């Protein structure tokens, strides 16, 4: 029997609560939590759905984004004390909610965050290893500061990663995060072989199959440029994997095959695109590290955070500052740091573990895409408009989202996607597909990816004579929506439907190489002429078309615009009203979390 009164249920609905949040509130009332316990469950559930890990118990705790205050905040905080549904961080009670200082959590997310912080603190507290800057420079793999005294931040990152059990290397596209790690691994292996020691067991991973494939491609490119000895190359991983596969996540279960009781057989784990890793997955990863293992996280601190709860990379980087090392580490780095001056008089405990790479070798500072990304990041709306007005060959901007502009975009994209039908083989179609993409801020709505997929499909259907409403047709591009480890397909993987003498199959580039699947075995999927910016994380394309909504949206943020722009390697076309650009640039994503505070205490 329902405990919620119609009046309170109506208030929760008007406040923007989802059915699951309201159901939890009702459960809380029926189990003795009173209005405060019930509201706490609903608020924490809603917070997790937004990507937060907790609710801050400030004066706005009970005020929702819809502008409705559901309970007096002071009364709410007081009523959580001695509430039968609320445990504290220090007691041993297992209850659905945990109050930790001035933060309120669902019990599971409190356990994830507290456990992750404990394991990261252990990595941070491990004794520093020997890392001689002179050896790095003598290796020929790294350089010292330039003529102006500016450090080679890639060399500094390698130094930190040699010295610390936890290393975070952050940088925008083209700053050389992966290339730095490749050279670091070569140096590590050379040293081990020269000293007659066993080579460290190295594992490379990323949150998605696409990101793992890109990581491995970057590693191979780096090896081709550096051409290390065969004995070194033989000890490097031959593949990168998804984190789910690395941890042996079981289908239909939240429990991994590798955990504290059965740790990963790895001395060093490198995770690319770490901004996409959510709190539960990062907690499971750190729990599965062996006692002496090292963790290196690579990512862009300014990108969109994970779709699920948490913003781990952003929390670590914001708490660390920008290359703010302790006096001890500055002394150990010696001439590697050149004339770099510390930006904080009292560096945080995380400062010695985080390096921010500053020079992009893909986006030159004087080129439009790089300038646009930098202006978005700086919140410079006027600068963004000036760059869009004069983008040159690299950047084309249409500062309106009228139907005429959108129709022109659909026609142009249909011309480009015609190459899928003209391709002679599925691998050629996949090459075409990976070279360009239309990105949207939203999935639904007139300018969302769902509607744009339909419009492009109809345009192509008129040209090639297929039914755009058919589930399967030749040259249809598809994107996977859910992980299916048993098939080796993961959320975000992109494939092409192909009909030949063998019949109709769907081809993907997976961790195990190019594979064909019968359509009946695919997990949830959809067409992908267009995709949301969130789905594009971990991907890059030669040419990107970005279509913004014609009205402000909560999902449109500075981080989303930056992520979208930096998906393009060489050409970017954007369509969006100036007012929409300004609204997005002004909207910063702030995720509520206690991780940084835990690591700084």
């Amino acid at each position: 029997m329902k405990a919620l009164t119609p009046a309170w249920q109506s208030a929760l609905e008007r406040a923007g609560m989802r059915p699951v949040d309201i159901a939890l509130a009702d459960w809380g009332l029926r189990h003795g939590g009173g209005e405060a316990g019930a509201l706490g469950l609903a608020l924490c559930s809603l917070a997790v759905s937004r990507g937060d890990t907790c609710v801050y118990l400030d004066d706005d705790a009970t005020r929702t984004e819809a502008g409705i205050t559901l309970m007096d905040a002071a009364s709410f905080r007081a009523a959580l004390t001695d509430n039968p549904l609320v445990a504290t961080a220090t007691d041993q009670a297992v209850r659905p909610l945990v109050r930790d200082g001035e933060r309120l959590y669902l019990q599971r997310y409190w356990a994830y965050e507290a456990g992750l912080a404990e394991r990261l603190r252990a990595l941070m507290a491990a004794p520093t290893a020997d890392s001689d800057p002179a050896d790095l420079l003598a290796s020929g793999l790294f350089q010292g500061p330039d003529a102006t005294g500016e450090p080679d931040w890639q060399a500094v990152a390698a130094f930190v990663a040699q010295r610390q059990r936890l290393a975070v290397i952050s940088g925008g596209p083209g700053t050389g995060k992966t290339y730095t790690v490749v050279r670091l691994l070569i140096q590590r292996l050379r040293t081990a072989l020269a000293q007659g020691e066993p080579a460290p067991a190295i594992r490379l991973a990323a949150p998605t199959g696409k990101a793992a494939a890109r990581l491995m491609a970057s590693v191979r490119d780096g090896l081709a440029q550096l051409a290390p000895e065969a004995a070194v190359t033989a000890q490097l991983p031959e593949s990168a994997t998804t984190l789910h596969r690395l941890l042996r996540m079981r289908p239909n279960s939240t429990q991994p095959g590798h955990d504290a009781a059965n740790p990963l057989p790895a001395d060093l784990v490198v995770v690319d695109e770490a901004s996409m890793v959510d709190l539960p997955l990062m907690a499971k990863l750190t729990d599965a590290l062996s006692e002496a293992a090292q963790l290196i996280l690579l990512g862009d601190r300014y990108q969109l955070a994970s779709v699920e709860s948490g913003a781990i990379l952003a929390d670590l980087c914001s708490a660390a500052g920008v290359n703010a090392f302790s006096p001890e580490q500055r002394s150990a780095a010696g001439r590697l740091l050149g004339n770099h001056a510390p930006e904080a008089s009292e560096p945080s405990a995380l400062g010695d573990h985080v390096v921010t790479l500053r020079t992009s070798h893909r986006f030159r500072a004087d080129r439009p895409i790089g300038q646009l990304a930098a202006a978005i990041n700086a919140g410079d709306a006027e600068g963004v408009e000036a760059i869009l007005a004069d983008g040159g060959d690299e950047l084309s901007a249409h500062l309106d989202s009228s139907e005429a502009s959108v129709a022109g975009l659909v026609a142009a994209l249909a011309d480009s996607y015609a190459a899928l039908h003209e391709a002679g083989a599925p691998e050629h179609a996949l090459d075409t597909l990976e070279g360009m993409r239309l990105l949207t801020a939203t999935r639904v709505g007139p300018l969302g990816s769902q509607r744009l997929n339909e419009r492009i499909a109809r345009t192509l259907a008129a040209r090639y004579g297929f039914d755009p409403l058919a589930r399967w047709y030749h040259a249809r591009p598809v994107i996977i929506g859910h992980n299916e480890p048993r098939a080796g397909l993961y959320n975000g993987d992109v494939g092409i439907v192909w009909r030949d003498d063998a019949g109709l199959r769907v081809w993907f580039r997976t961790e195990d190489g190019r594979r064909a699947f019968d359509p009946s075995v695919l997990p949830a999927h959809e067409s992908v002429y267009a995709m949301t910016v969130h789905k594009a994380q971990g991907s890059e394309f030669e040419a990107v078309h970005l279509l913004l909504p014609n009205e402000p949206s909560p999902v449109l943020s500075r981080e989303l615009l930056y992520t979208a722009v930096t998906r393009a390697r060489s050409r970017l076309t954007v369509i969006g009203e100036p007012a929409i650009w300004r609204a997005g640039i002004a909207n910063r994503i702030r995720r509520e979390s206690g991780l940084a505070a835990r690591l700084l205490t």
Side-chain angles (χ1 to χ4, degrees):
M1 182 177 177
K2 245 185 171 182
L4 278 177
T5 64
W8 201 20
Q9 173 152 345
S10 176
L12 293 174
E13 291 171 347
R14 286 186 287 107
M17 295 288 180
R18 304 167 302 156
V20 66
D21 308 324
I22 295 171
L24 280 172
D26 183 67
W27 184 93
L29 280 176
R30 287 187 285 108
H31 288 79
E35 291 189 356
L39 182 58
L41 283 170
L43 289 172
C44 286
S45 173
L46 181 63
V48 167
S49 76
R50 294 194 305 249
D52 300 330
T53 62
C54 61
V55 171
Y56 272 83
L57 297 175
D58 55 20
D59 291 341
D60 292 324
T62 55
R63 184 178 180 82
T64 68
E65 290 182 354
I68 295 175
T69 299
L70 293 164
M71 187 176 183
D72 175 71
S75 301
F76 176 61
R77 290 192 295 267
L80 292 175
T81 304
D82 297 326
N83 190 292
L85 299 185
V86 183
T88 68
T90 55
D91 64 31
Q92 301 298 313
V94 178
R95 295 175 181 172
L97 292 170
V98 177
R99 182 172 182 173
D100 193 339
E102 292 306 304
R103 299 185 297 270
L104 187 68
Y105 296 80
L106 292 176
Q107 196 278 336
R108 174 181 293 182
Y109 287 88
W110 175 84
Y112 283 141
E113 187 178 279
L116 174 60
E118 180 181 356
R119 290 184 282 276
L120 291 178
R121 282 197 301 267
L123 289 171
M124 292 163 57
T128 56
D130 292 335
S131 181
D132 189 342
D135 289 343
L136 278 177
L137 297 178
S139 71
L141 296 168
F142 299 97
Q143 299 177 352
D146 63 19
T148 69
E150 176 68 13
D152 173 9
W153 289 108
Q154 295 183 9
V156 175
F159 166 77
V160 170
Q162 282 190 338
R163 180 177 168 84
Q164 305 288 358
R165 288 265 309 283
L166 170 67
V168 179
I169 303 175
S170 174
T175 52
K177 298 182 292 291
T178 307
Y179 191 54
T180 299
V181 168
V182 172
R183 288 181 291 165
L184 169 67
L185 297 181
I186 291 172
Q187 174 73 353
R188 288 274 294 270
L189 289 168
R190 281 177 175 170
T191 300
L193 292 172
Q195 296 177 351
E197 298 174 351
I202 301 165
R203 300 299 299 272
L204 305 176
T208 67
K210 182 69 175 177
R214 277 192 55 233
L215 170 59
M216 199 62 224
S218 297
V219 170
R220 292 191 183 105
D221 288 345
L223 292 175
Q225 292 180 46
L226 297 166
E229 312 87 288
V232 169
T233 303
Q235 298 299 326
L236 288 167
E238 295 182 354
S239 64
T241 185
T242 64
L243 285 169
H244 284 81
R245 192 167 185 177
L246 177 70
L247 295 172
R248 289 172 44 208
M249 296 294 293
R250 303 183 179 107
N252 304 317
S253 172
T254 61
Q255 298 304 311
H258 287 295
D259 54 19
N262 182 30
L264 286 164
D267 301 305
L268 170 58
V269 177
V270 178
V271 179
D272 197 13
E273 297 290 353
S275 65
M276 298 170 61
V277 184
D278 59 44
L279 172 63
L281 190 56
M282 188 67 80
K284 291 180 174 71
L285 172 63
T286 55
D287 191 45
L289 294 176
S290 62
E291 186 175 343
Q294 181 187 15
L295 177 63
I296 298 178
L297 303 177
L298 311 177
D300 187 344
R301 65 195 295 173
Y302 300 114
Q303 270 191 204
L304 283 167
S306 62
V307 175
E308 306 299 332
S309 61
I312 310 302
L313 186 70
D315 283 344
L316 295 177
C317 291
S318 62
V322 178
N323 301 328
F325 309 129
S326 69
E328 178 192 2
Q329 183 147 295
R330 289 179 58 79
S331 175
R335 65 179 291 252
L336 278 183
L337 287 175
N339 62 9
H340 173 64
E343 298 185 10
S345 56
E346 296 184 9
S348 77
L350 275 164
D352 283 352
H353 302 268
V354 179
V355 179
T356 301
L357 305 182
R358 293 181 158 183
T359 302
S360 175
H361 303 280
R362 182 188 311 155
F363 301 135
R364 284 171 41 196
D366 61 347
R367 298 298 298 162
I369 294 178
Q371 290 177 326
L372 183 60
I376 291 169
N377 228 353
D380 182 4
E382 292 183 1
V384 166
E385 291 185 27
I387 295 164
L388 292 176
D390 186 22
D393 296 337
E394 191 176 272
L395 172 60
S396 173
H398 306 274
L399 297 178
D400 73 85
S401 52
S402 64
E403 173 54 29
S405 291
V406 176
L409 174 66
V410 169
L413 284 167
D415 288 342
S416 297
Y417 281 124
L420 299 177
H421 291 265
E422 305 296 339
E427 57 265 33
H428 301 149
L430 286 170
D431 288 341
T432 296
L433 190 57
E434 291 171 1
M436 61 183 175
R437 198 62 49 85
L438 169 61
L439 303 184
T440 66
T442 60
R443 183 174 182 272
V444 298
L447 301 185
S449 61
Q450 194 174 58
R451 187 72 59 83
L452 269 296
N453 275 318
E454 294 169 356
R455 291 184 64 166
I456 294 169
R458 286 200 303 269
T459 305
L460 288 169
R463 184 179 304 183
Y464 289 99
F466 62 84
D467 179 2
L469 299 180
R471 187 171 185 191
W472 304 109
Y473 55 82
H474 179 73
R476 177 195 174 200
V478 296
I479 185 170
I480 298 299
H482 296 291
N483 294 329
E484 182 47 76
R486 286 172 294 193
L489 292 172
Y490 297 89
N491 184 19
D493 286 351
V494 170
I496 190 79
V497 178
W498 199 260
R499 188 187 300 278
D500 55 20
D501 293 342
L504 189 144
R505 294 173 296 172
V506 189
W507 289 84
F508 291 85
R509 287 181 174 139
T510 72
E511 298 174 42
D512 301 317
R514 187 163 49 86
R515 295 177 58 196
F517 293 82
D518 187 277
S520 64
V521 305
L522 296 190
H525 56 275
E526 60 186 1
S527 295
V528 71
Y529 301 106
M531 68 195 303
T532 63
V533 177
H534 278 89
K535 283 282 190 182
Q537 286 179 269
S539 298
E540 291 176 354
F541 311 96
E542 285 299 322
V544 164
H545 300 262
L546 172 61
L547 177 61
L548 300 183
N550 48 22
E551 294 181 357
S553 167
V555 304
L556 189 65
S557 66
R558 187 180 305 181
E559 292 81 359
L560 182 139
L561 292 173
Y562 172 82
T563 302
V565 165
T566 55
R567 297 311 89 198
R569 282 194 288 262
S570 58
R571 294 191 307 282
L572 175 66
T573 301
V574 299
I575 292 180
E577 305 278 353
I580 299 301
W581 279 97
R582 289 193 293 271
I585 291 167
N587 181 24
R588 298 295 306 271
I589 293 177
R590 182 191 172 199
R591 289 197 164 177
E592 303 292 4
S593 161
L595 180 62
R598 295 179 193 278
L599 295 174
L600 295 177
T601 54

